[in-house]
Amino acid sequence: MTVDRQYFEAMEAKIPHGKVRTRFAPSPTGYMHVGNLRTALYTWLIARNAGGTFILRIEDTDQGRLVDGAVDVIYRTMAECGLNHDEGPDVGGPVAPYIQSERRDTYGKYAKLLVELGHAYYCFCEKSESEEDSGEFGRAADPCRDLSAEEVAAKLAAGMPYVIRQRIPEGSTTFHDAIFGDITVDNSTLDDQVLLKRDGLPTYNFANVIDDHLMGITHVVRGSEYLSSAPKYNLLYQAFGWEIPTYVHCSPVMRDQQHKMSKRHGDPSYEDLKAQGYLTEAILNYVALLGWSPKGEQAEQEIFTLAELVKAFDMTGISKSPAIFDRAKLDHFNAVYLRSMAPEAFAKVAEPYIRQSVKDERYDAAAIAAVLQARCEKLTDIPEKVDFFDALPEYDVEFFTNKKSKTNPEVSLAMLNAAIPVLEALEQWTNESVHDALIGLAQQLEVKNATLMWPVRIAAAGKLVTPGGAVEICQILGKDETVRRLRAGAAKLQA
């Protein structure tokens, strides 16, 4: 039952050394939720800040939870977010393969080596699959822990199915985390977790330790829910005589003070947020600040490009406290990003949303985008904001009354009756000509600009709140449609 030590020496010889190496190791079980994206981002930033190597590894050992297409979602999300990897399933690397199911033979060999070293044992007890995956049952209740070598050999020779379990020693285990410091755990609270299942596949807890070592990972970033497993990881590293990587446990992203974000409760994934009208850059910037804050000169800075995050990122800025996902804050970030885009770039991303409600191609999407840009928080707000261009909505005559603009139905009717012939007489229909004509008319009528502009805008749009002013709306609608709508407004006021 002895294992070939040359195999392990050859594996050790492949391990890259000398610089920071981090990995993002998602399970392809669905969408990239916000917590996952944050882990990917922090892991990438640690590598890039140190001039190190970032690895993508697919952890697919839990075959029952795999979702078709989930690997494509991972690749697409990482690419969209600019989180490029140096090694991974699609690009290869010195410690390939980077998909756990393709490393199956490796785990079996290391599990058997651990048995030989006295830190694991064969267990022939009947356990349910869930117990096998979790290893959560009392150590004292397992009679296989104390089987003699002869008894084990006999059972193996008889072809009895088995799992391999970690043999937790007596005493206590202390591990160090970059965020939480030193934590000591009494080993009596740790169970003899399953390392290798009956089907020959490893459990998550075993596979990630083996892979992290063999891939030369120097910093392991994961959620703080794995703090309780860290002592068992430490014991595995120590059993093999391996160097322990730097642990970076991040506190959870919460929906509110009591509840963690969860897809099961309808909390958004990265793809959901994109579909809800948020820009990738805004999502990333916001996610970076969910549990991390910059230091020094940048302590008060909120808006960061990805390149700026690389320079600013320092693990000591990661908080022990849970971060609450604040939708209003994300809206603010998104609005900042939308408003800072080049007009042409905004027009390009906005056009599909504009065309959801403005089907009439006579209306210029770029012109509509120009009036939207300063008044838009999310791209998905756009269709409802601009639907009045295609069809004038039914609106209440009360809309014409505005205290600040000093308008009421009587004043508004007079303004529209004065504006219609002036606009009809315009030979050129531009922003400037419409603006000058209406401002000139207000002066002539000796009223405030707003007293004229309010009823013109209400009649043109049929809405109290619009993404542009009267001049911009009229210019986009064109002369004939503007005059038609102003006549309809006047008729409504006369009724």
Side-chain angles (χ1 to χ4, degrees), residues 470-482:
V471 171
E472 296 155 312
I473 291 168
C474 291
Q475 192 273 318
I476 293 167
L477 284 171
K479 182 174 171 178
D480 292 347
E481 182 63 14
T482 296

Side-chain angles (χ1 to χ4, degrees), residues 132-176:
E132 209 176 278
D133 281 339
S134 68
E136 289 175 4
F137 73 98
R139 184 190 320 155
D142 193 340
C144 298
R145 201 170 199 267
D146 300 315
L147 290 175
S148 68
E150 292 75 24
E151 288 173 306
V152 170
K155 288 178 183 289
L156 290 174
M160 286 185 69
Y162 64 85
V163 299
I164 292 180
R165 292 187 177 279
Q166 183 175 2
R167 187 187 295 277
I168 302 291
E170 300 299 316
S172 63
T173 299
T174 299
F175 68 95
H176 180 77

